[in-house]
Amino acid sequence: MRILPIALFLLTLMVSGCTIGPDYRRPDLNLPEQWPQIEEPSATAIAPGDQWWTHYQDPILTRLIERALSDNLGLRLQLERIRESRAQLNFATAQLLPNLDGQAEASRLQTSAAISTGITSNSFALTTMLSYEVDLWGRLARSRESTLAQLEASHYSHDAVRLQLIADLVSTYTNLRAAQEQLHITERTMALRYDSLQLQQIRFDGGIIDQLGLQQARSEWEAVHALIPLRREQVTRLESALAVLVGMTPAELMGTLDFGDRRLDQLALIDAVPDYLPSELLERRPDIRATEAVLKATNAQLGMTMAERLPRFNLALFLGSAAGNIDDLLKSSTETWGISGAILGPLVDFGRNRARVDTLVALRDQAETNYQITVQTAYREVRDALLLTSTIAEREKALESQKESAHKTLELVQLRYQEGYNGYIEVLDAQRQLLAAELALSEARRDRLNATTTLFKTLGGGW
């Protein structure tokens, strides 16, 4: 007799119901067939999971990124969210399985002597209960599908934050090196201007030049000297920003920060273009994958909400034993069992379930639109990054020529000034032009490195 209810219960578990709601389909997107400004794909290939920042060939940068990946608080928060999503998935998976509960009961009853003979009786019971909701409409399956998509979204969000962290760290590191170089250029120029001021002071004391020539030299020295505090402040701010990205503790942050003194031109430049089709960007960008996972989750939630409008079928089975004496509790003669089924469904809810479905339809449409916006933004970023990398190299080359010309001009002007062919104002103009050219070239090198970093990021972290 014990086998019959168990067999009936297990047979019911094998009954598979239909799944209510729309199955997920990726939205149709009008994607380009080729990248702009690219005639032939590059032979250089860097996998998305590759440590693409090592191609800059800077060991200090590599060490900073390795520490950031282990200590950055924003990245740690994403990992904690992944753990939360995984726990939710485990719960949704468990919802598909039966519940097995156990109960032990003991009681002692004394009847009233006014009613009967005042008999005292004992009662003991052991019961095992198995309950299960037959997922006829796929409500529980859709719930698990939604939580699985949310777990995927958490993973891809972590990858997106990780990629953004690395890109921000590389850009901040590059900006720091550029600021240090500009501070060095300014300090060197200030020293040269001071030497010129001392020379003009000697010439003034000897009566060779007048007060105007001396004041011009002093004014130029003071103008460059006033730039030093601003340059140092910029270096300090970038050091602090880099320390936060790396994940330094407050004590470390408030201490002396030292990130080395490598020159900007020591970072290797990478001249390459993607060697895959634009359509593959959908699989390579973690932010696109995360947004699509949210769309999948919302679509599954819509199916789950639609299934909640239909009746639920619950089964229950109990096996146990009851006796008046605890010694007789496990004997076959005291065995009890039962099986039951129940159907529960809404009759009149005055449109509550319909409103829930309409809400999920709107949320699903919003998620789809957000996905399309993310894809559109990603292709715009790639297009802009490709254009920037192709133009910034031309700008850097032009500024290198400008710097060489400014340096030769200064040498000629100084020679003519020493020979008395032109005034000191021409020397000052040439010095200003050389300083501006050196600073502009430093900014162009920084921008070219940042453009490469941006291209890495927009393509999903390497190609």
Side-chain angles (χ1 to χ4, degrees):
M1 293 295 294
R2 182 181 299 179
I3 300 177
L4 178 59
I6 298 177
L8 291 174
F9 195 88
L10 294 177
L11 180 62
T12 307
L13 298 185
M14 298 174 61
V15 178
S16 60
C18 60
T19 304
I20 300 298
D23 294 328
Y24 174 75
R25 291 184 59 187
R26 176 178 287 177
D28 294 330
L29 302 169
N30 185 15
L31 303 179
E33 297 181 358
Q34 186 55 268
W35 299 110
Q37 292 91 33
I38 296 179
E39 296 180 358
E40 295 182 0
S42 170
T44 303
I46 303 174
D50 188 15
Q51 297 181 347
W52 52 271
W53 56 88
T54 59
H55 294 266
Y56 290 109
Q57 300 178 14
D58 190 328
I60 297 177
L61 175 61
T62 300
R63 287 196 299 269
L64 291 175
I65 292 178
E66 289 174 351
R67 173 166 178 176
L69 294 179
S70 61
D71 296 346
N72 183 266
L73 296 179
L75 205 58
R76 186 183 305 173
L77 178 61
Q78 292 298 321
L79 291 174
E80 293 166 354
R81 288 173 177 169
I82 290 176
R83 292 205 307 269
E84 176 190 359
S85 298
R86 185 176 292 113
Q88 292 175 348
L89 176 62
N90 293 336
F91 177 80
T93 302
Q95 287 288 89
L96 294 169
L97 303 175
N99 288 329
L100 180 62
D101 299 313
Q103 178 179 329
E105 182 180 355
S107 64
R108 182 177 178 85
L109 177 64
Q110 171 70 52
T111 60
S112 173
I115 299 176
S116 63
T117 59
I119 299 176
T120 301
S121 61
N122 299 323
S123 177
F124 301 93
L126 288 175
T127 307
T128 300
M129 293 166 288
L130 192 64
S131 60
Y132 178 69
E133 178 183 345
V134 182
D135 196 20
L136 292 176
W137 321 114
R139 183 182 68 88
L140 299 178
R142 289 298 190 191
S143 176
R144 185 184 185 280
E145 180 184 344
S146 175
T147 53
L148 179 59
Q150 291 171 2
L151 177 59
E152 292 179 0
S154 298
H155 275 289
Y156 290 126
S157 295
H158 168 267
D159 293 341
V161 172
R162 180 180 185 272
L163 177 60
Q164 184 66 53
L165 169 64
I166 295 173
D168 290 344
L169 197 152
V170 174
S171 296
T172 304
Y173 180 82
T174 303
N175 293 338
L176 174 61
R177 290 299 181 227
Q180 290 174 336
E181 182 176 278
Q182 291 169 3
L183 173 61
H184 176 70
I185 292 173
T186 307
E187 290 176 338
R188 186 185 64 208
T189 302
M190 183 183 70
L192 294 175
R193 296 284 174 86
Y194 184 77
D195 292 341
S196 297
L197 174 60
Q198 293 297 100
L199 178 60
Q200 292 299 90
Q201 182 68 50
I202 295 174
R203 293 167 64 87
F204 173 76
D205 294 339
I208 301 176
I209 62 173
D210 57 10
Q211 183 72 27
L212 177 60
L214 179 62
Q215 286 302 118
Q216 287 175 337
R218 185 179 300 277
S219 177
E220 288 299 317
W221 173 78
E222 290 176 347
V224 178
H225 184 266
L227 295 176
I228 298 298
L230 296 177
R231 299 294 185 195
R232 289 175 178 169
E233 179 185 359
Q234 185 180 20
V235 170
T236 302
R237 288 181 179 273
L238 289 170
E239 286 177 343
S240 300
L242 191 60
V244 172
L245 290 172
V246 169
M248 289 186 175
T249 64
E252 291 176 313
L253 182 62
M254 297 305 293
T256 301
L257 300 177
D258 184 10
F259 298 106
D261 56 356
R262 287 177 63 87
R263 298 193 312 272
L264 192 64
D265 56 6
Q266 290 180 317
L267 275 72
L269 286 168
I270 307 171
D271 295 320
V273 292
D275 59 348
Y276 62 87
L277 297 177
S279 58
E280 296 180 46
L281 191 67
L282 300 181
E283 307 296 331
R284 298 173 62 91
R285 286 271 299 234
D287 56 338
I288 295 179
R289 299 295 298 273
T291 308
E292 185 179 15
V294 172
L295 175 57
K296 290 179 181 179
T298 309
N299 187 77
Q301 290 172 6
L302 173 60
M304 182 180 65
T305 305
M306 295 173 65
E308 288 177 347
R309 304 176 64 189
L310 301 174
R312 300 184 187 180
F313 183 33
N314 295 305
L315 289 175
L317 167 68
F318 74 89
L319 295 172
S321 179
N325 191 325
I326 193 171
D327 295 332
D328 300 329
L329 191 60
L330 299 180
K331 294 181 179 180
S332 59
S333 60
T334 62
E335 179 183 286
T336 61
W337 66 269
I339 185 170
S340 64
I343 297 179
L344 176 65
L347 295 178
V348 179
D349 65 356
F350 301 99
R352 294 185 183 90
N353 285 331
R354 179 69 250 179
R356 294 189 188 99
V357 172
D358 292 342
T359 300
L360 264 297
V361 170
L363 291 175
R364 193 269 313 273
D365 293 342
Q366 293 176 37
E368 182 174 342
T369 301
N370 188 44
Y371 173 69
Q372 293 174 341
I373 292 174
T374 303
V375 173
Q376 186 181 58
T377 302
Y379 279 91
R380 176 186 60 80
E381 291 175 348
V382 172
R383 183 180 186 277
D384 294 346
L386 288 170
L387 179 62
L388 180 61
T389 52
S390 64
T391 57
I392 194 66
E394 299 178 5
R395 177 168 172 260
E396 181 183 4
K397 185 177 181 180
L399 287 173
E400 287 178 350
S401 300
Q402 180 183 1
K403 174 190 171 183
E404 293 177 0
S405 298
H407 190 269
K408 292 180 180 178
T409 299
L410 178 60
E411 291 179 346
L412 292 175
V413 169
Q414 287 177 333
L415 181 61
R416 290 175 58 85
Y417 174 72
Q418 293 173 0
E419 295 178 354
Y421 290 104
N422 54 253
Y424 189 66
I425 189 65
E426 285 81 3
V427 177
L428 296 178
D429 287 339
Q431 290 176 345
R432 284 193 294 267
Q433 291 176 5
L434 178 59
L435 175 62
E438 289 178 334
L439 294 177
L441 178 58
S442 176
E443 293 176 355
R445 287 173 177 168
R446 176 201 65 194
D447 293 343
R448 188 177 180 187
L449 288 166
N450 286 339
T452 305
T453 301
T454 301
L455 184 57
F456 271 121
K457 186 190 73 171
T458 57
L459 292 171
W463 59 86

